[in-house]
Amino acid sequence: MKKKQESKISLKDNIRFTIVFLVMVLSLVGFYIEGKYGDNKKDGYIMHALGGMDDDYINSIDCLRTCYDAGYRYFEGDVSFTSDDILVMAHSGENNVWSESDWNDRLGQPYPFEEGAEIPEGYDAEKHLATYRDFMSFKIQGKYRATSFDDVLDFMETHTDMYLMVDAGYRSYEDTQVFYQEVVKEAAGRTDVLDRLIVGGQTTDMVKAAKEAYDFPLVNLYYIKDSKREDIISTPEKFVQYCKRYDIKSFSISSEIYTEEVARELESEGLKSYVFTVNNKKEEKKLRKYGADVIGTDTLWED
């Protein structure tokens, strides 16, 4: 009789211990997720080009609204000047040039600068830019609303938990100065919005110009492949040291460059990582295993 009683007590103790252990594990998992992504696990994603639909590259507030309503709060968007120097959501190449691919593939518009073509009035024939008025009349990919940078700032003003990573392309120091001065000007004193912009660029000069324009709290530096990085950030160790010295909070990186070794070296000082552009669950799982904090995606959110 005594043995049976001991057996019952032992079984109860084991069950109680198992329950307590599971509660502790779930609490730790919850603490980890909350610590990494805040209250919203979807903060582990950043919407590339304001969010993609139908496998298209878009940069439209239509997609931003859809992704925001689905619960996402981090967005990346391409910002460039029109021919009349107004900031819009459009991809550009080096020093604000819109390439043929930018027109055809990213805007979904016919390229107006073919040899012998009559260039519309007000367009920039050298940089292949449209006027602001014409750009805003476009239907991106034939169906989405063309979007100005100010449209996005207005959205952020009324949606105070949204963050935007500003992709300025590749610019010289002087060009970046002009760019970020205009960013600050368009914000028109809305410091709460400016403080939720993730700014910087592909070079240390771009970062310097951004920091000179405004005391942005969220500064990001792009980790480009080895052969193209400046000497001052040529190795992962130098890159991390530079970020620490100049209070750079995060880095963005191509998924092709983000190996397990690179991830380990770059995140040693707690830098937040944004890995672009991933639209495959299997690849995402691999990158998460390496330590990717935020995955840049066009379409994973649709899953």
Side-chain angles (χ1 to χ4, degrees):
M1 185 75 179
K2 190 175 180 181
K3 283 187 178 179
K4 282 187 178 180
Q5 191 173 3
E6 286 175 353
S7 176
K8 282 184 178 179
I9 292 171
S10 176
L11 181 60
K12 284 182 180 179
D13 287 343
N14 285 337
I15 292 172
R16 189 179 295 114
F17 173 79
T18 302
I19 291 171
V20 170
F21 177 75
L22 287 172
V23 169
M24 287 175 66
V25 169
L26 291 172
S27 298
L28 286 170
V29 170
F31 177 78
Y32 170 78
I33 290 172
E34 185 175 348
K36 193 166 186 177
Y37 303 128
D39 295 330
N40 185 0
K41 285 186 285 184
K42 291 181 177 180
D43 288 350
Y45 296 94
I46 185 168
M47 303 293 102
H48 181 235
L50 301 185
M53 290 181 177
D54 306 318
D55 295 325
D56 282 331
Y57 192 107
I58 300 171
N59 272 316
S60 171
I61 199 164
D62 291 341
C63 303
L64 187 160
R65 289 183 185 279
T66 299
C67 292
Y68 185 91
D69 290 344
Y72 296 93
R73 297 296 180 262
Y74 283 81
F75 294 81
E76 182 266 1
D78 301 295
V79 185
S80 61
F81 285 109
T82 58
S83 62
D84 42 353
D85 299 323
I86 299 174
L87 291 175
V88 294
M89 305 307 297
H91 186 274
S92 65
E94 186 170 345
N95 289 328
N96 209 89
V97 175
W98 293 3
S99 69
E100 186 170 356
S101 178
D102 288 330
W103 279 88
N104 293 334
D105 302 332
R106 296 182 175 94
L107 295 176
Q109 304 296 313
Y111 182 63
F113 299 98
E114 298 285 0
E115 188 176 346
E118 185 177 346
I119 299 172
E121 185 179 351
Y123 281 38
D124 187 322
E126 184 180 347
K127 292 194 171 184
H128 299 176
L129 308 177
T131 64
Y132 174 77
R133 181 177 177 179
D134 283 341
F135 174 83
M136 294 301 289
S137 72
F138 292 162
K139 283 292 183 184
I140 307 300
Q141 306 300 351
K143 49 187 155 179
Y144 302 105
R145 196 176 352 163
T147 302
S148 71
F149 181 60
D150 196 50
D151 289 336
V152 178
L153 295 182
D154 287 345
F155 187 90
M156 292 179 70
E157 184 178 9
T158 56
H159 299 77
T160 57
D161 54 353
M162 178 195 150
Y163 292 79
L164 175 72
M165 178 179 284
V166 175
D167 187 343
Y170 182 93
R171 294 172 184 267
S172 67
Y173 169 70
E174 293 77 17
D175 223 35
T176 311
Q177 279 185 311
V178 173
F179 177 86
Y180 278 113
Q181 285 166 3
E182 188 61 25
V183 165
V184 175
K185 181 181 175 182
E186 289 206 19
R190 292 175 286 184
T191 56
D192 176 61
V193 173
L194 287 172
D195 290 348
R196 285 181 282 120
L197 296 180
I198 304 166
V199 304
Q202 298 187 25
T203 66
T204 58
D205 271 352
M206 290 184 72
V207 167
K208 182 182 177 185
K211 290 168 77 72
E212 288 171 351
Y214 178 80
D215 187 21
F216 293 104
L218 302 175
V219 180
N220 180 81
L221 180 57
Y222 185 61
Y223 188 87
I224 203 164
K225 60 184 179 180
D226 294 352
S227 61
K228 292 192 174 182
R229 281 199 311 279
E230 307 155 73
D231 182 61
I232 195 171
I233 54 172
S234 59
T235 67
E237 183 181 10
K238 285 183 176 182
F239 186 93
V240 169
Q241 288 174 349
Y242 183 88
C243 290
K244 189 176 180 182
R245 187 182 313 131
Y246 292 101
D247 198 26
I248 296 168
K249 304 296 187 186
S250 63
F251 68 93
S252 48
I253 186 171
S254 164
S255 59
E256 297 172 358
I257 300 172
Y258 191 74
T259 64
E260 188 171 11
E261 182 182 0
V262 168
R264 185 170 56 250
E265 292 172 327
L266 290 180
E267 297 190 11
S268 60
E269 291 293 337
L271 285 173
K272 189 172 186 176
S273 56
Y274 294 90
V275 185
F276 289 92
T277 301
V278 182
N279 293 316
N280 177 282
K281 279 289 185 183
K282 186 176 179 181
E283 184 182 9
E284 180 196 356
K285 186 177 180 181
K286 177 188 73 174
L287 297 169
R288 296 279 189 203
K289 187 178 178 182
Y290 292 166
D293 294 313
V294 184
I295 294 291
T297 184
D298 299 304
T299 56
L300 281 180
W301 68 274
E302 292 179 321
D303 295 335

